[in-house]
């Protein structure tokens, strides 16, 4: 093992100042095991990513002299010992992490908030931070530099004046201005993918739901929409977007709401009205897919694409995370299959975590799921949750085959499978050369 070429451990002092260590080597965690990242999974920290500390939790590193992983509650510097804490990266969208931050989770005292946590180190040769990750999408629309609030505010006021009685527009104005939701901002900028929240309720109880938290986790980031908009309120907003925006997508179920499948009749009616008004643009439905017959109705109402969320394709693990009420994982799989059979571009929103989604049983189950449903795309989303809490709830022990290896395996068995991170316009559902498509450099 040539330690000199491996990235170095990053750690933080008690105040959160971040340092690289001259000797100890960066480690990452797959499930509950510390590992040294493979070269193929080390990429420069993407622009617009953030570094965090994992409060009061010692980092783990590879000690080349002792040839073992060590926990480092303190580090000696200038002859003095100082208390240190682990460092984690929160990456810009479009990248899937392949390793969790390596730290001594047994000594973690706080429940970490709903962010995704990625292993990060310092690469002396490249003179940059590196993360254990792989790029899965090239869409750069979501770059923060595209969201200048000085341009946004006048547009929000203008649109509110144009539609003074539309409660949904009022809600989205709050999403854009108070919650700084990029998707909601797109609606006012009239471009790209815009959200259509419709549902105050959900029939899942996800451990890491961003819009409603049961008391055994931590506070949610955003508040759920409190009412069901009418089909007229929805179409008043969606039709101009579909007709005038560049690369237009309107998406149901885009975030801080329950699940739109519980408002399927309203959503179907609104979609029929949109398609009566225009054939332009892409209409997308994001959902837990809990009711296959409602999915069938929504396909026939005029959806172009559907994306179904899941943390695992193993029923047991799905149940532990989603805690479904009145439906089963088999219903979700049936929904994916129906959407594909109805000719829609069909995706899964795969909420991944190293150690769970690269477990050999999960990989085999995923291959079977792809074969059985015909799904087109796997959106590789980093599950935002405390990794230790999640591993414990999922009963993870040990490590998987590696996220990169898992993605390679799937691509080898199904070259037509697309990886991605964002929804697509219908012109881009099946791009040329999709057998390649991944890995993406940069
Ligand atoms: S994702 Fe959340 S904040 Fe954004 S538009 Fe939807 S409901 Fe609003
Ligand atoms: S399916 Fe979505 S809205 Fe429902 S509990 Fe899960 S994350 Fe929350």
């Amino acid at each position: 093992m040539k330690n000199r070429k491996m990235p170095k451990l990053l750690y933080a002092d008690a105040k959160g100042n971040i340092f690289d260590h001259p000797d100890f080597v960066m480690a990452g965690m797959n499930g509950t095991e510390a590992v040294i990242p493979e070269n193929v999974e080390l990429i420069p920290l993407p622009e617009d990513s953030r570094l965090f500390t994992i409060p009061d939790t010692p980092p783990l590193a590879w000690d080349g002299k002792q040839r073992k992983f060590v926990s480092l509650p303190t580090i000696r510097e200038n002859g003095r010992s100082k208390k240190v804490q682990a460092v984690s990266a929160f990456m810009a969208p479009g990248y899937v992490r392949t390793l969790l931050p390596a730290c001594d989770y047994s000594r973690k005292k706080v429940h970490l908030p709903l962010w995704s946590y990625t292993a990060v180190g310092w690469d002396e040769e490249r003179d940059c931070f590196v993360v254990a990750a792989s790029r899965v999408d090239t869409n750069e629309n979501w770059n923060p530099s595209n969201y200048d609030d000085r341009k946004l505010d006048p547009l929000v006021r203008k649109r509110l004046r144009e539609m003074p009685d539309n409660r949904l527009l009022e809600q989205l104005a709050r999403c854009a201005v108070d919650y700084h939701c990029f998707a909601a901002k797109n609606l006012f900028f009239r471009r790209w993918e815009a959200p259509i929240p419709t549902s105050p309720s959900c029939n899942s109880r996800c451990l890491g739901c961003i819009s409603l938290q049961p008391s055994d986790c931590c506070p949610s980031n955003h508040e759920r929409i409190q009412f069901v908009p009418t089909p007229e309120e929805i179409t008043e907003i969606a039709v101009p977007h579909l007709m005038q925006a560049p690369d237009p997508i309107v998406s149901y179920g885009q975030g801080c709401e329950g699940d739109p499948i519980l408002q399927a009749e309203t959503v179907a009616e609104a979609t029929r009205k949109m398609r009566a008004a225009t054939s332009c643009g892409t209409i997308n439905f994001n959902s837990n897919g809990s009711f296959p017959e409602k999915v069938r109705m929504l396909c026939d109402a005029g959806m172009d694409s559907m994306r179904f969320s899941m943390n695992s394709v193993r029923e047991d693990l799905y149940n532990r995370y989603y805690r479904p009420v009145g439906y089963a994982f088999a219903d979700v799989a049936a929904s994916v299959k129906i959407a594909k059979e109805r000719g829609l571009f069909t995706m899964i929103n795969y909420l991944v975590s190293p150690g769970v989604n690269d477990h050999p049983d999960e990989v085999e189950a995923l291959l079977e799921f792809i074969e059985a449903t015909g799904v087109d795309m796997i959106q590789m989303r980093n599950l935002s949750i405390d990794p230790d809490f999640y591993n414990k709830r999922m009963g993870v022990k040990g490590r998987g085959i590696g996220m990169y290896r898992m993605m390679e395996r799937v691509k080898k068995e199904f070259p037509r499978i697309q990886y991605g991170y964002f929804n697509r316009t219908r012109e881009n559902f099946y791009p040329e050369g999709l057998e390649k498509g991944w890995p993406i450099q940069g």
Side-chain angles (χ1 to χ4, degrees):
M1 218 168 284
K2 295 175 192 160
N3 283 359
R4 269 175 308 168
K5 289 199 177 150
M6 290 174 182
K8 293 296 192 289
L9 164 74
L10 278 188
Y11 63 94
D13 66 13
K15 289 187 183 149
N17 300 308
I18 291 173
F19 304 90
D20 57 296
H21 195 279
D23 304 317
F24 292 125
V25 168
M26 168 193 178
M29 215 115 172
N30 186 308
T32 56
E33 263 183 37
V35 295
I36 296 177
E38 289 185 62
N39 276 340
V40 74
E41 63 186 341
L42 283 170
I43 61 168
L45 178 70
E47 260 184 63
D48 296 310
S49 302
R50 301 274 177 271
L51 296 183
F52 288 121
T53 62
I54 302 193
D56 292 327
T57 310
L60 291 183
W62 174 256
D63 181 344
K65 284 191 195 133
Q66 297 192 66
R67 303 194 65 72
K68 67 174 189 179
F69 292 101
V70 287
S71 168
L72 299 163
T74 57
I75 281 179
R76 282 192 80 73
E77 202 182 78
N78 302 328
R80 291 174 59 187
S81 182
K82 68 176 179 186
K83 202 170 165 228
V84 298
Q85 33 187 358
V87 176
S88 157
F90 175 67
M91 286 187 297
Y95 295 81
V96 63
R97 69 182 159 188
T98 55
L99 292 174
L100 303 166
C103 59
D104 192 349
Y105 289 105
S106 66
R107 299 172 73 158
K108 183 172 69 64
K109 296 182 196 80
V110 295
H111 191 110
L112 298 172
L114 297 173
W115 299 101
S116 63
Y117 300 87
T118 301
V120 59
W122 177 258
D123 188 321
E124 285 173 321
E125 286 182 351
R126 285 191 267 185
D127 199 23
C128 66
F129 295 110
V130 284
V131 277
S134 181
R135 189 170 194 183
V136 287
D137 207 307
T138 53
N139 184 334
E140 303 247 342
N141 288 350
W142 303 91
N143 190 317
S145 64
N146 288 328
Y147 294 87
D148 184 341
D149 281 350
R150 290 167 302 182
K151 295 182 186 149
L152 175 76
D153 286 345
L155 288 172
V156 171
R157 281 198 290 272
K158 177 169 176 273
R159 302 238 192 279
L160 286 171
R161 275 197 306 274
E162 285 167 4
M163 303 174 196
D165 301 320
N166 192 314
R167 295 170 302 159
L168 182 57
L169 192 72
E170 216 178 288
Q171 162 84 16
L172 287 163
R174 211 165 31 244
C175 297
V177 175
D178 295 346
Y179 296 153
H180 288 284
C181 171
F182 282 4
K185 289 182 189 200
N186 283 345
L187 181 89
F188 294 96
F189 283 121
R190 199 157 278 173
R191 65 185 187 196
W192 312 331
E193 183 173 13
I196 307 284
T198 56
S199 184
S201 49
C202 191
N203 52 348
S204 308
R205 295 167 299 145
C206 295
L207 294 177
C209 178
I210 62 161
S211 66
L212 191 72
Q213 276 303 301
S215 56
D216 58 353
C217 194
C218 41
S220 58
N221 304 357
H222 298 176
E223 273 177 28
R224 273 185 187 171
I225 188 170
Q226 303 284 331
F227 62 95
V228 181
T230 63
E232 290 72 27
E233 283 174 310
I234 295 171
T235 42
E236 189 181 23
I237 291 174
V239 169
H241 191 86
L242 287 168
M243 293 178 76
Q244 293 165 23
D247 300 332
I249 306 176
V250 293
S251 265
Y252 299 99
Q254 188 67 350
C256 320
E257 55 177 317
D259 199 288
I261 202 148
L262 297 183
Q263 315 305 333
E265 285 71 23
T266 301
V267 169
E269 179 62 20
T271 306
R272 281 191 288 269
K273 283 178 182 290
M274 284 179 212
R275 278 298 172 235
T278 178
S279 58
C280 299
T282 303
I283 308 178
N284 175 62
F285 186 71
N286 302 312
S287 172
N288 61 15
S290 47
F291 298 119
E293 287 317 309
K294 296 202 170 180
V295 163
R296 192 187 302 279
M297 173 183 78
L298 289 162
C299 290
D300 295 345
M303 297 290 174
D304 297 294
S305 58
M306 287 201 180
R307 187 185 74 182
F308 301 97
S309 286
M310 57 198 69
N311 67 315
S312 169
V313 287
R314 288 176 282 170
E315 182 167 20
D316 175 31
L317 271 69
Y318 178 88
N319 287 345
R320 288 190 208 186
Y321 181 79
Y322 276 80
R323 302 186 290 179
V325 181
Y327 76 96
F329 183 70
D331 295 315
V332 183
S335 290
V336 180
K337 192 161 184 233
I338 287 170
K340 184 63 196 163
E341 283 169 357
R342 297 308 245 208
L344 275 68
F345 184 66
T346 307
M347 305 165 275
I348 60 172
N349 191 25
Y350 200 32
L351 304 168
V352 296
S353 187
V356 171
N357 300 84
D358 58 346
H359 188 284
D361 293 348
E362 178 77 14
V363 180
E364 291 313 311
L366 181 61
L367 294 172
E368 280 169 29
F369 181 92
I370 295 168
E371 177 76 45
T373 59
V375 63
D376 295 296
M377 175 189 250
I378 304 178
Q379 290 193 9
M380 300 290 290
R381 295 289 186 118
N382 302 307
L383 180 63
S384 291
I385 199 165
D386 182 317
D388 179 52
F389 170 77
Y390 185 63
N391 282 338
K392 284 187 177 133
R393 286 296 184 105
M394 295 301 116
V396 174
K397 290 193 180 71
R399 56 175 297 186
I401 63 170
M403 293 296 293
Y404 197 92
R405 302 287 159 222
M406 165 258 173
M407 291 173 71
E408 269 184 339
R409 172 89 202 281
V410 169
K411 199 70 188 151
K412 188 161 166 255
E413 300 277 334
F414 295 98
R416 60 164 189 82
I417 275 286
Q418 301 182 55
Y419 293 123
Y421 200 94
F422 301 109
N423 292 327
R424 300 247 173 105
T425 57
R426 60 188 190 197
E427 295 75 19
N428 290 309
F429 284 166
Y430 303 103
E432 270 181 44
L434 63 83
E435 310 74 35
K436 295 197 189 94
W438 179 84
I440 300 168
Q441 302 309 320

